[in-house]
């Protein structure tokens, strides 16, 4: 205030958000899938993205190569880590596995909703209890239907007698009842899930492609802007960022459409 008195009057600036603050806020909603074949590759990618505000996901492939130690290394670089192991086993085994994985303090873990109510409830209880003991609030997500599974395969191979959307919704409702914090689902189902499950339930959505980028093996995609508008809480984005010549720039560019 004293400083201001000594300066010539400046016109008031319009209340314009700083652009980099804005994209930092948006980057918090991005979970970059580190689907890479080893520690060296994963850490190189993470170093490129460090400081951007995004989160990272360690999936089965990278976990199979490097084990849980990598989670600590990614956390040391400042990343909240989604450990995407899609657990599915008898309730006692899943509960004990969740407790063991919490020693590495991932921000998010996931289980298959098709494991049923008791499996999910015991996993959620174990996760929230272990998180509280460690002084943080991890989140447990449920896998609804894999995006590689179409309605026809769901009916013919798995004998599911309702539509894909109805099945996703039923699994997500069960997950919420069992105490999970959210689900992983296609952004296409996000409006339905958001409406049915309320504003606080996390919707983590893969199958995101910035306008003009390669589909890879994703069949039905939404852009980042469309996914946010559909009610997604977090967007899982892999190859459009990790296979870009300049991943940091690719991350920044995904918001051009939203701006
Ligand atoms: O396709 P992209 O590289 O962006 O994939 C990011 C994540 O999306 C993967 O780690 C995987 O979990 C998920 N995925 C999916 N359906 C596919 C391919 C990948 O849900 N067909």
């Amino acid at each position: 205030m004293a400083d201001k008195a000594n300066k010539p009057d400046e016109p008031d600036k319009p209340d314009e958000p700083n652009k980099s603050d804005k994209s930092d806020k948006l980057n918090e909603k991005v979970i970059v899938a580190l689907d890479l074949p080893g520690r060296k590759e994963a850490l190189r990618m993470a170093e490129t993205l460090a400081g951007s505000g995004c989160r990272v996901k360690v999936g089965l492939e990278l976990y199979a190569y490097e084990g849980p130690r990598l989670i600590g290394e990614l956390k040391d670089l400042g990343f909240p880590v989604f450990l995407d192991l899609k657990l599915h086993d008898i309730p006692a085994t899943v509960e004990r596995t969740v407790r063991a994985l919490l020693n590495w303090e991932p921000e998010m873990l996931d289980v298959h909703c098709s494991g049923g109510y008791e499996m999910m409830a015991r996993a959620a209880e174990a996760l929230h209890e272990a998180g509280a003991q460690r002084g943080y609030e991890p989140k447990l997500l449920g896998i609804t239907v894999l995006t590689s599974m179409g309605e026809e395969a769901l009916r013919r191979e798995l004998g599911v007698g309702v539509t894909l959307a109805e099945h996703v919704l039923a699994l997500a409702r069960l997950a919420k009842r069992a105490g999970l914090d959210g689900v992983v689902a296609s952004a296409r189902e996000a409006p339905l899930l958001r409406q049915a499950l309320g504003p606080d339930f996390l919707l983590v959505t893969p199958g995101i492609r910035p306008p003009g980028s390669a589909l890879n093996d994703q069949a039905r995609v939404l852009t980042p802007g469309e996914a946010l508008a559909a009610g997604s809480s977090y967007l899982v984005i892999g190859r459009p960022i990790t296979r870009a010549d300049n991943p940091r720039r690719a991350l920044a560019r995904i918001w051009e459409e939203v701006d």
Side-chain angles (χ1 to χ4, degrees):
M1 277 313 212
D3 268 345
K4 191 170 176 167
N6 297 328
K7 284 185 184 161
D9 273 345
E10 280 178 18
D12 279 340
K13 292 216 173 92
D15 195 15
E16 171 186 274
N18 172 318
K19 191 160 175 185
S20 82
D21 284 357
K22 190 173 164 190
S23 57
D24 284 356
K25 271 269 159 249
L26 290 168
N27 285 349
E28 286 175 15
K29 294 182 177 293
V30 176
I31 304 178
V32 177
L34 297 178
D35 297 328
L36 297 160
R39 174 177 174 274
K40 217 170 61 194
E41 292 82 351
L43 288 180
R44 199 180 305 134
M45 182 58 57
E47 276 158 17
T48 308
L49 298 171
S52 65
C54 73
R55 307 171 131 76
V56 294
K57 176 169 92 70
V58 173
L60 280 170
E61 180 189 1
L62 191 52
Y63 190 81
Y65 277 116
E66 304 300 339
R69 214 165 292 278
L70 186 64
I71 301 166
E73 295 182 280
L74 292 167
K75 281 170 55 72
D76 288 346
L77 287 170
F79 293 101
V81 178
F82 172 15
L83 185 55
D84 178 23
L85 301 183
K86 300 184 174 69
L87 304 177
H88 189 173
D89 209 316
I90 58 167
T93 299
V94 170
E95 179 187 332
R96 287 198 302 267
T97 305
V98 164
R99 284 192 198 281
L101 290 172
L102 259 273
N103 287 322
W104 302 92
E105 301 194 352
E107 182 192 36
M108 301 179 205
L109 271 184
D110 55 359
V111 297
H112 272 280
C113 298
S114 53
Y117 178 85
E118 196 194 338
M119 187 200 84
M120 286 194 281
R122 289 197 28 200
E125 202 183 322
L127 175 122
H128 294 132
E129 202 180 282
Q133 279 163 5
R134 302 187 77 89
Y136 83 115
E137 290 182 12
K139 308 290 182 200
L140 188 64
L141 305 172
I143 300 293
T144 54
V145 176
L146 296 174
T147 54
S148 52
M149 178 73 68
E151 192 157 300
E152 180 63 9
L154 204 61
R155 187 174 59 77
R156 267 217 313 237
E157 296 173 17
L158 302 187
V160 172
V162 295
T163 66
L164 193 140
E166 283 167 339
H167 191 51
V168 167
L169 181 57
L171 290 171
R173 280 192 202 280
L174 188 67
K176 187 171 180 187
R177 207 153 54 77
L180 268 61
D181 301 288
V183 289
V184 180
S186 159
R188 304 238 164 204
E189 271 89 53
L192 174 75
L193 296 173
R194 179 59 68 221
Q195 196 197 9
L197 301 164
D200 299 328
F201 200 61
L202 298 177
L203 301 179
V204 177
T205 60
I208 307 294
R209 286 294 177 269
S213 62
L215 287 181
N216 310 113
D217 56 0
Q218 298 276 13
R220 300 184 315 143
V221 300
L222 260 62
T223 67
E226 288 168 343
L228 287 184
S232 298
S233 316
Y234 294 107
L235 317 179
V236 177
I237 308 180
R239 290 161 289 183
I241 293 173
T242 56
R243 296 214 184 151
D245 290 337
N246 183 334
R248 187 66 178 247
R249 195 177 318 138
L251 175 63
R253 287 215 171 132
I254 66 174
W255 301 119
E256 280 172 4
E257 163 222 18
V258 179
D259 283 353

